[in-house]
Amino acid sequence: MTKPQPAFSLPSVAAGDLTSDLDLTVEELQTLLDLAADVKRHPGHYRTALSGRIISLLFEKPSLRTRITFEVAAKQLGGDAILNTGPIGGREPVADVARNLERWTDLIVARTFDQKTVDDLARFARVPVINALSDMYHPCQVFADMLTLREHWGSVVGRKLAFVGDGNNVAHSLMLNAARLGLNFACIIPPGYEPNETVVAQAREFGQATGATVEVTTDLDEGLKGANAVYTDVWASMGQEHEASERARVFAPYQVNTALMAKAAPGALFLHCLPAHREEEVTDEVIESSVSVVFDEAENRLHAQKALLLMLLDGPAR
């Protein structure tokens, strides 16, 4: 019996790491999405692709989707994963953590409070490092989001995605990847909660090349006009719990409910990175509606991360 072969030659990522979304070129981002779709359609073709490979999972923050999808991805590709929780640089310097793990495992996945921790791991480790969430970026989530939108629309080019809520790590990764893929983006936020200015400038520069617009506004009507998808996230992320009551007051007018969805284009999809605080940033009526694709996004975390592992581990060892 002939062994099934992957449809892709599994090109490597030139940067060698994924510390932020921009470690992937536009071409590599498109390849990752194409590969993720193929992995999803033909999982058997990749069942032994990472045979003998072990990945380290370093998690400073609690996790359901990120932890389990990376563990399942490694195992379904023929490899395995080891989890360590708690502060990454708590007992010893991050540099020492990196130089230990590179001796034992083939890749490091880090879910951290501080972007610097991810950057330091990549600086000192001679194996690939993946940002599985930091205070600045959440690339793995957004790769899954873009895969989900492609599945529902065929192409994201010329469509519009509106993000409603805090100008946080998810908003940063969404605007960077949307602009690079030709997807118009609006970030609708209360005053004082704007996204990072440098990230916005980078996204707008990418948009000049693809024709995508990047808008930051406090006006719901303006931002949601013509939106083909509406995305939200929790109002207070991990580490911001002390701000929860104040944020609940400020963000209340930005709750994604039926009235807010009606401001978007007819049939607009609803997205959320999960976990959702139901009846806070989104109502049950919206998240359980026929336009909600939140569990498609969650499923696609697995497939997008499989593609990322394949691309990062296919190149020569450093």
Side-chain angles (χ1 to χ4, degrees):
M1 179 184 243
T2 304
K3 181 181 176 181
Q5 295 297 314
F8 287 79
S9 59
L10 305 182
S12 60
V13 175
D17 298 299
L18 185 82
T19 60
S20 80
D21 308 79
L22 300 185
D23 279 342
L24 293 187
T25 66
V26 176
E27 293 73 20
E28 288 168 348
L29 173 58
Q30 294 279 15
T31 297
L32 183 142
L33 296 175
D34 291 340
L35 177 57
D38 194 69
V39 168
K40 185 174 183 177
R41 284 192 302 267
H42 307 293
H45 292 180
Y46 302 88
R47 195 158 287 148
T48 61
L50 298 185
S51 179
R53 301 289 192 119
I54 306 294
I55 68 173
S56 303
L57 303 177
L58 303 182
F59 280 44
E60 293 185 326
K61 294 185 174 186
S63 175
L64 174 68
R65 278 152 296 280
T66 304
R67 172 186 171 179
I68 291 180
T69 53
F70 265 114
E71 286 200 23
V72 172
K75 294 174 188 294
Q76 290 186 347
L77 293 172
D80 210 338
I82 305 294
L83 174 71
N84 190 70
T85 60
I88 293 172
R91 295 179 60 243
E92 56 189 308
V94 172
D96 290 2
V97 173
R99 289 177 291 185
N100 275 271
L101 292 175
E102 72 180 14
R103 304 296 181 101
W104 307 326
T105 64
D106 299 286
L107 180 145
I108 300 168
V109 176
R111 181 176 172 90
T112 74
F113 284 95
D114 192 338
Q115 175 66 28
K116 185 177 184 300
T117 305
V118 180
D119 294 338
D120 285 348
L121 285 168
R123 176 185 171 195
F124 289 102
R126 292 176 295 175
V127 296
V129 172
I130 293 176
N131 181 345
L133 179 143
S134 71
D135 58 339
M136 276 296 291
Y137 307 105
H138 198 355
C140 294
Q141 174 64 50
V142 173
F143 298 156
D145 298 333
M146 294 300 151
L147 178 61
T148 302
L149 292 176
R150 287 207 333 181
E151 289 176 340
H152 284 270
W153 294 339
S155 171
V156 303
V157 176
R159 301 274 190 161
K160 180 178 178 180
L161 170 63
F163 178 86
V164 182
D166 188 18
N168 62 11
N169 49 4
V170 175
H172 293 162
S173 287
L174 280 171
M175 72 174 67
L176 289 170
N177 288 295
R180 296 199 296 163
L181 292 172
L183 173 62
N184 299 315
F185 184 80
C187 187
I188 311 166
I189 39 82
Y193 293 89
E194 292 83 2
N196 180 278
E197 291 181 359
T198 300
V199 174
V200 175
Q202 289 174 316
R204 285 176 172 159
E205 186 175 342
F206 291 128
Q208 290 176 359
T210 63
T213 59
V214 177
E215 177 185 6
V216 178
T217 181
T218 60
D219 189 319
L220 284 163
D221 291 315
E222 176 187 343
L224 289 163
K225 184 178 181 181
N228 305 108
V230 177
Y231 198 123
T232 195
D233 190 8
V234 295
W235 293 336
S237 299
M238 285 175 282
Q240 298 173 332
E241 291 82 359
H242 62 288
E243 302 177 23
S245 59
E246 174 63 11
R247 284 172 172 261
R249 181 188 67 78
V250 172
F251 282 82
Y254 295 80
Q255 181 191 66
V256 178
N257 50 37
T258 302
L260 184 144
M261 291 294 293
K263 297 177 184 292
L269 301 175
F270 172 72
L271 295 91
H272 195 302
C273 53
L274 301 179
H277 295 169
R278 296 174 181 233
E279 303 305 323
E280 291 186 13
E281 75 272 5
V282 61
T283 61
D284 249 355
E285 187 175 12
V286 170
I287 201 169
E288 294 292 349
S289 71
S290 61
V291 299
S292 175
V293 296
V294 299
F295 299 112
D296 292 346
E297 297 171 80
E299 177 186 348
N300 282 335
R301 290 292 301 275
L302 174 64
H303 309 302
Q305 287 161 194
K306 281 184 178 180
L308 184 58
L309 290 174
L310 289 166
M311 290 176 67
L312 283 171
L313 287 174
D314 187 62
R318 296 188 296 170

